[in-house]
Amino acid sequence: MASNEVSPFETSEMLATFVTSTPLLRESWRLCSKANTTAPLSFVAERAGGVNYVAFSGVQLAGGSDPSWRNLVLLESIGGLPLFSARRKTEGEEAVMVHAEMLNLFSSLFNSLQNQMLGILENTDTKSVVITGHSIGGAIASLCTLWLLCYLQSISSSVSVMCFTFGSPLLGNEAFSRAISKERWGGNFCHVVSKHDIMPRLLFAPITPLTSQLNFLLQFWHWSMTSPASGKLAVQISEREKAELFTAVVDYLEAAATPQDGEASSGPILFYPFGNYFFVSEEGALCVDSPPTIIKMLHLMLSTSSPSCSIEDHLKYGDYVNRVSMQMLIQRNCIQRNIPDSTYEAGLELALQSSGIANQETTIVPAKECLKTARRRGPSPALNAASLAVTFSKVVPYRAQIEWYKIWCDEQDEQMGYYDSFKSRGSCKREMKVNSNRHKLARFWNNVIDMLERNELPHDFDKRAKWVNASQFYKLLVEPLDIAEYYGKGVHRIKGHYMEHGRERRYEIFDRWWKDRMVTTGEENKERSKFASSTQDSCFWARVEEARDWLNGVRSERDTNKLAMLWDKIEEFEKYAMKLVENKEVSNDVLAKNSSYSTWVEDLRELKRLRANVQRFPHQYTRFLDGEVVP
Amino acid sequence: MALSELYSLITSDCWSFLTNISRKTLRCRASAENLMAFVRELLPIIEEIKYTGVELPPPRQFQLDRLSEVLRSGVELSHKALSSSRWNVYRNYQLAKKMDSLEKTVKEYLKLPSQVHILADVNHARFEMAQRFDRLEESNRRLEQFFAGMKIGVGGGGWVEEAVRSMEEDETWVEGSSGNLSVGLELGKKKVLEMVVRRNDVSVVGICGIGGSGKTTLAREVCRDDQVRCHFKERILFLTVSQSPNVEELRAKIFGHIMGNRGLNANYAVPQWMPQFECQSQSQILVVLDDVWSLPVLEQLVLRVPGCKYLVVSRFKFQRIFNDTYDVELLSEGDALSLFCHHAFGHKSIPFGANQNLIRQVVAECGRLPLALKVIGASLRDQNEMFWLSVKTRLSQGLSIGESYEVNLIDRMAISTNYLPEKVKECFLDLCAFPEDKKIPLEVLINMWVEIHDIDETEAYAIVVDLSNKNLLTLVKEARVGGMYSSCFEISVTQHDILRDLALNLSNRGSINERLRLVMPKREGNGQLPKEWLRYRGQPLEARIVSIHTGEMTEGDWCELEFPKAEVLILNFTSSEYFLPPFIARMPSLRALIVINYSTTYAHLHNVSVFKNLSNLRSLWLEKVSTPQLSGIVLEKLGKLFIVLCQVNNSLKGKDANLAHIFPNLSEFTLDHCDDLTELPSSICGIKSLQNLSLTNCHNLTYLPVELGTLESLEILRLYACPDLKALPSSICDMIRLKYIDISQCVNLTSFPEGIGKLVSLEKIDMRECPGVWSLPKSVVSLQSLHLVICDEEVSWMWKEVVQKVKPSVDIQVPKQCYDLEWLHE
């Protein structure tokens, strides 16, 4: 192992112990069971210890409409909010999909849920929200959390959200899991899964032939949830059927857990775990976040179980939760003779013990291997961030060179500003050098974003002033060049305008970083006494280009309705631009004599004069003619 | 001195008391007044003796002591006179008498013995004087000897004269400009001081620069600097070596200086080896060798003695000897103007009412070179504007403007070339074929020399380096240049205007039809051919190198010129349309054609069909033009093709443009800065003779032909700065002769092809700034010839881990990145 790797501790057990030491788990379960008994088909909300809890009942009408129980639907927006919006779909990437039934259930609850949530959020005391649910309720809780995260992101709120599910079935496909981890929301989900519970493992197997049994089973669980006694009233499934179901799940799970199974029997796994899995057993708990490890552990734990046990375990979360909450108070001894020397090995031993499979000889070795692989590879995020700063220092000069180029353009006789100089560049080594710098910078920042999404950087990386400011600075300076390249090469004629179709994802992400940054007081409201060093709206030039397009449209358009619309747009942009200029939020180059903006303003004035003459509309637009502020 | 203090005490006391007495007693009044006047006379003389501070011989000392005693008794007397009452007449009388006698004694002393003293003093002075004159004479004789020695060393040329002359010139320059030019010198002085005084690791410091750039002035300033003088405790020797020095004598002088000036005559033979003598933990010594011309001389003069530093002033860079070099920089524009104005008007700035623009243009022609500013400035003094105008025009064409210009500037500059071997000198003269103030890519230059002087490339390169070391041209290297196989593109050559004028001046001797180089020094005002050329219409001209600099040319603008012997044709122009000269068709021996457009837009070439007749063309350079359609043309012998900053326009593609047919014997193909090249045509793979393929700075190059690997003779592949290139075709692994691959700054390249290990001849890989390449194919371990990898720090560990474990001989370099702003002002 290289010396720069993360500290050699086994974290899964420690993490789990940490979670159990908080009241979150217990409170969540308490509310879950309350929801199960009192609010079937719905949810309950409660506030306890400064935390808002929302629990979804596990008693939900599922499977009624869909006999196959394995339908996936595209998930592009949730609760009206576009999901994973900053992720423009690249070619060949799998679409994000979730379980159709669960989404249906969520949608049916959404209106009342939204009201409830907005109510909670309106309260200024609200610092954190815990969303929880048992069984199918857990899946709905996950969707609800997703929506809430999305919503909070859109309003840049700092309320923290946590989702605890108990025995929740799988929810989405692999792309879904990946998207969550790219957004770095994985940590907001904690799926509590008991050692033998079959429910969370059910969707690994194609259970179409077993639908009837499944429905009976669901019914049994529902009845049992509402009141433990009434479970007995439900239609019992025969032992044989239980065993069939059990073996099917174990087999498919084994196939899923075996790496590189190839095309063989099962085909690709439709459903994939996401977020953290919190395995509980009588002996303790452990917390794992890498999907392959989760699948493997799901398999190993279930394989030590029995059919009936696997069904009953779904209802035993209360016991488990109580047990592990106490567990941290118990001093544990290593059951093995000798405690291993390394802390890592010792931790591993403890984790195995907590998983409750330590006494099964057949599973102990693979379980150990699998926990080992869960360990993070490569240098720690902090180290990555540090070395990234070094790399950054090597690309900063490229940006500085572009700045010099900008200044140089301002000084030239052409008075074009750097946007137009770059856009209309002929064959000149100078512009080619700038272009090559542009490429290098883009490459660097794309790499930063990739690393961030692979979770190779610290979780608060996008909040660190250094990076937020650097990215903002980069964006303000270089995005105009990207726009220039886009329009200069005529890509807009093929793909459409830059803002909608050509903007690189990194700029949208940087926008978000900048929006979410911590603003020190007084920083925002200072009035500018001179023009900004770079235009504060990095898309300003794209807007100019669009406005120019409208202006050209006005010249050729005959349809009066469309014409009026175009004029509206033009007017709107004009106002916007004037405001920027008045506030001195543009840099000098915008106002250079021959810049695109200046020529646009000139054209507009000309056109208005023409229009005023021809159409005899002398009064409506005079204020624009007089009100120009271009120096 | 105690004695003199005593005097002063006594006399001043005396004076005050006596005044009192004279006021008090009437009786003694007369004698007291006498005494008073007497002491008043005495006082300044005694003061004078007191301030000379010379030790006196004992007898005189004694006499003076006695005098002081007498004076002291005078003080006592006056005390008594003070104390006695007005009515004690007798006592007063007595006192007056005593005072009289006192006066008498003093007078007597001064009358006689002091006269004798004076005589003695005069005699003394005479004797000493005679001694001193003797000494003076002796030193005079020594001086004469010295001069005689110098005359022995004259050897026909009179180097002393020359040294004196140049020294005078420099002197006057410094005198004239020390006020306003201190800024220009300050920086250089500081840097040299740094090397001479502060750094202990250098013992020989060079001050280099082209002729007339103020090297000697700088050296003198350094010697004059207080800091230097303190540091070396005035032990500074300034020697002018000159072109034909008496080396033995100079050596002796240096040696004597080092030994501390102890009795050495001119004939003292300096031991060939320096004994490790301990110069009493010596103070530092500085030896300045001015005007050094040859390496053997310098080698003999530099005695490696600890504590002795050398400052060598030369036009040449003797890299073997110099530990460090300061290259004299040219003046800043402001300084240049003030120096010029000083010589032209006697003011430090442009006088009121003068033609500012004209003056600035003339100054610009001098190229910020102090000597040129001085000579040209002086020759324009008190001349009228018409004369100025003609001078400006002549200068801009590299023509002489008068005798002073020739003798003082051109001839002086030409001394440098006298030392060149014939071939190198010819090469130097060839440089005038390129327009002024432009960077000349090394490739162009070397190709031209290779073709015209029948030398090979390595020799040509050696000549470039040689000329650069002699400060006859300047090598401009890009920061990333490195070692073998690095493209000559990264190096270019510039030349100072005055040197170019020199080259022009030297090659333009003789009539036009006889010149070997027919060069248009610059674009004519109307952008056409020079009128004098047109006189030779229809006559065969001798020129081997023809350089033409015009504006837009149409068919009618060319005339019937005949260059049957032309081997190199350089076409410079500034326009967007260009009709290739029809006389190209009648240049049967043309071997190198260089077409360079200096405007900002691409130029369309017309009359491309003349290429059909160029059966001997070996090298073709096209810059900033729209690449013409070459279908139907076969350039049988063309070996090197450079397409730089061009618009490719798909001219390389299409079924008509089969590159293999057009250039059957191409060995080197370069596409640089071709912005619209998106795809390399696959017909290039048919050129089996291709050895060197460079696709550099092609920002839109996205695809390489899949079958690129069929270029089996390829040895060098440069894909530098092609940011859109995402992958290398896997077939390149079949290029078994490939020695060097450069993929640096291909920022979006993600990997090497898997089979790269098959490149058995690959010696060097350059992959700087390829942040996408994060892994190496396993086969890299089988790259058996690999010995150098240049990469970024981030990936260097990867190479170390994979390759160095297997082959420790592989060198993995992480170059330091350099950033500059040169590109902004090109």
Side-chain angles (χ1 to χ4, degrees), chain A residues 300 336 349 352 357-369:
Chain A
L300 287 172
Q336 235 133 43
E349 219 45 74
L352 274 177
I357 50 173
N359 37 17
Q360 254 89 5
E361 286 299 322
T362 47
T363 53
I364 189 159
V365 177
K368 204 167 173 178
E369 284 307 307

Side-chain angles (χ1 to χ4, degrees), chain A residues 255-316:
Chain A
T258 324
Q260 273 124 27
D261 200 20
E263 306 291 302
S265 51
S266 60
I269 321 165
L270 280 180
F271 291 90
Y272 211 68
F274 69 96
N276 292 289
Y277 269 66
F278 188 91
F279 293 103
V280 286
S281 70
E282 288 87 358
E283 278 79 25
L286 75 162
C287 195
V288 181
D289 70 346
S290 101
T293 318
I294 293 169
I295 297 175
K296 186 86 183 166
M297 287 307 286
L298 283 171
H299 168 243
L300 287 172
M301 286 175 142
L302 187 67
S303 63
T304 63
S305 176
S306 68
S308 59
C309 188
S310 74
I311 288 164
E312 278 150 23
D313 231 27
H314 188 57
L315 302 169
K316 284 192 189 160

Side-chain angles (χ1 to χ4, degrees), chain A residues 208-223:
Chain A
T208 326
L210 305 164
T211 318
S212 60
Q213 286 96 313
L214 190 67
N215 282 335
F216 285 131
L217 198 60
L218 279 175
Q219 210 177 6
F220 165 70
W221 280 334
H222 286 171
W223 285 75

